Amino acid sequence: MLKRILLGVLVVLLLAVAGAGGFAWYLHRRALPDYAGVVTVPGLKQPVEILRDRWGVPHIFAGSLEDAAFAQGWAVAQDRLFHLDLLRHATQGRLSEIFGSATVDTDKLFRTLDFHGEGRRMLERSSPQVRAGVAAYVRGVNAYAATLGGRLPVEFALLRIDFQPLAADEMMGIIPYMVFSLMDTWPLETVYERLAGKLGPERFARLFPDVAGGPVAAYPPSAEVHSDVILAGIAAAERLGLLGEAGASNNWVVAPRKSASGQAILANDPHLPLGLPATWHTVHLSTPEVDVAGVALLGLPGVTIGHNRDIAWGLTNLMADGGDFFVEKLNPDNPGEVMYRGQWVKLQEREETIHVKGGADVKLTVRSSPHGPLVNNLIKGETHALALRWTVNAAGDASELEAILALNRARNWSDFRAALRGMGGVAQNFAYADRKGNIGVQSSGRIPIRQGNPAGHRYRIGWDGSQEWNGFVPFERMPFTYNPPQGWIATANTPPFRRPAPFYIAAYYEPRDRWLRIAEVLAAKDKLSVADMQALQFDHVWVGARELAAKLREAYAAAPPADATERAALQLFDGWNGAMEVDSPAAALFAEFFPALFPEIFADELGADLARTVQSQTNLYATLLRQVLEGDTVWLDRVDTPQKEGWPDVIRPAFAKAVARLKQQLGGAPASWTWGRLHTYEATHALGRVRWLAPYFNRGPFPVAGSPMTVGKMQYPFGTFQVNHGASMRQITDFADLNGARVVLPGGESGIPASPHYADDLQLWRTGQSHPLPMDRAEVEKQMDGRLVLQSEGGG
């Protein structure tokens, strides 16, 4: 009897496990889209075809731009519905509706800056054609979502949320959000304040030669200025993969006389936070008005970076300082007033309610001066009223979306530049190539003209009108290059002007190492091929490492290290060319040595705490080390000793610390200390940051080559070697063969883990490969993996 009971229990348990497994399998696969068939939908003028190639890229053939936008929204919803919804909630400051109290600080920050409101106003001032395209895109998203019923992607089930149809303007906050994510204003201005106060005006100017302007700010900031809600809000967004370090990037163009094909070539790899799915969605749109292919921002119609039949374009961050903190003076007798240009004026106020999942609503009052929203309530211990003026709220006539869609239709250099005039907060270096063999670079975005102190790296006086923004630099004065005699142009987030610049653009640029390496490679060959471009995008030679390794060997030339491990470690640099390869012990050792060198050079001037703060800012310390390497060696001499120090005196202690650290971390002989043991990348999904969900959503970790200073950029936060930032896509266009244009994402087209296109680009991306992005229909059909026809309810 007992045996029969036990057998019955076992059967019930097995059935329960099977049922649970079956339900999990259903959840896993329920949102997989159909890429083939015929679907009747409302809102189309004519039938549209979506041909999916073997990498899942949608090639959309439509009779009008509006129908193409509808189909693009449909295709994006097929692949990325959850991430569309996540971005909707993020840009509207509504993450707490999904994630509860953990993201309240993020919502406060994003509501205060009003990404959604700024985007909505941008849409309102756009042309009827652009508004119609946005509306059609949103209709396409909603039309696809309506077909799912209860088959929403698995993230909706895990978070116990539903998808609500999008309104026409709901994704427009993505543009201000992206501008914010590329700005260094928040962390860097406080660091510059502290550096200027510590070093004095002359030494500060020597250390930051790209910064001009007066030495005195409106007031010295409090020491706690960034132990605050602002950074807490940013950190919460980073944990979801929604924000990261400000973007760097590479792009270059090669003229026909330097090209192996005899036509112009453009290469671009914008650097952004990495994760699954990728930032971009690859797409090809073919209509009678436009035929364009490339990558698009989620939530917006058209192609953001790519090429049509006549021109190609690619972006790098101009690094423009597009925001300033203004110290405001509130009326002590009426706190609802602020002094502006010597007069008391009313503060604008709006009330925000943040709904918190599992908790009480949070009320937020946002007050704004004529300069912008007051952010001091987001800063712990801040007693002054601080307003943020940034180009997004100041450029009231700009429309980035209008500019992007104009680029899609541009036919020549003149059209290209005309489109870029519409950019406001998006300050970028746009590389250009065309089918006639012309190449160029044009900088975009609004650069403020600052009265009083012309630089923007310091807090500004807000009450008397002495330090106002006085319009923007005219577009005609913005940096540009067209058909230079050398036959190539490259940008990599370095200053666009020779020093001294004619006007202030930024207080921070990326170190020159990537640009130096690109220039070295492009200049070395008479004829450059697409294969050369692909190899250069994945190049791992760190120019500064090559130079410093030589100085390191010189530092020990007279007296080799006494320690046997240090002697063996030093030999790793014999014949090393600075390549940060996975199997390189020299790369691993140099990666530890480089950050150890900074405090040896600067801690005596800055103090240990400020030196650590500088090192915590993305590549700022590397920029300063590059300056010393290029000849500003006064910083090598310690201020706290009577003797005069030089390179050996800072190199030896830094090297000893690096060797000791690797010996502790990796053990064994120095020859076993390979870079790939330290330097890894895990492709992480927003929910994959939860440990028990990581095996399902994430891919990796993998050992990876490169570094923050190599063309094949693999950025990691200070204090770790785990990569979180790099090429958000790679794209190469040769006008000799548009069907052979190359593209790759650091993941895949789909955000659905069950999809074969969830991470099918990842292996290509991490090994420096790519796949074609054809334009001719016949070539698309050779790679076709599905044909979906959308037709209107009337059959048209």
Side-chain angles (χ1 to χ4, degrees), residues 48 180 196 300 388 411 453 505 698:
V48 178
F180 173 78
L300 301 177
L388 176 70
R411 295 289 175 259
N453 182 355
I505 293 178
N698 300 348

Side-chain angles (χ1 to χ4, degrees), residues 310-339:
D310 295 291
I311 76 163
W313 66 97
L315 283 62
T316 66
N317 195 357
L318 181 60
M319 312 301 288
D321 182 352
D324 280 326
F325 290 113
F326 279 81
V327 182
E328 306 285 24
K329 186 177 291 185
L330 300 181
N331 189 341
D333 299 320
N334 182 358
E337 292 183 340
V338 62
M339 183 170 285

Side-chain angles (χ1 to χ4, degrees), residues 623-635:
T623 302
L624 304 185
L625 284 176
R626 159 57 63 184
Q627 204 158 294
V628 178
L629 187 59
E630 291 182 351
D632 194 8
T633 55
V634 67
W635 304 96

Side-chain angles (χ1 to χ4, degrees), residues 4-91:
R4 187 175 298 174
I5 292 172
L6 291 174
L7 182 60
V9 170
L10 179 60
V11 169
V12 170
L13 287 173
L14 288 173
L15 287 172
V17 170
F23 181 66
W25 183 248
Y26 166 74
L27 277 180
H28 172 61
R29 296 183 57 83
R30 70 179 186 176
L32 284 174
D34 290 326
Y35 286 164
V38 178
V39 182
T40 300
V41 296
L44 280 177
K45 296 176 181 176
Q46 301 175 55
V48 178
E49 291 179 281
I50 305 176
L51 308 186
R52 294 278 186 162
D53 65 24
R54 55 180 289 201
W55 299 279
V57 174
H59 298 258
I60 296 170
F61 295 88
S64 68
L65 285 170
E66 194 170 326
D67 281 351
F70 180 99
Q72 186 180 4
W74 178 285
V76 168
Q78 283 185 304
D79 295 334
R80 309 279 188 92
L81 189 64
F82 170 72
H83 285 83
L84 274 172
D85 202 44
L86 184 63
L87 282 171
R88 183 225 313 241
H89 281 81
T91 58

Side-chain angles (χ1 to χ4, degrees), residues 660-677:
R661 183 166 173 81
L662 279 186
K663 187 175 181 179
Q664 180 183 30
Q665 280 183 285
L666 302 180
S672 69
W673 297 345
T674 58
W675 184 216
R677 293 178 64 187

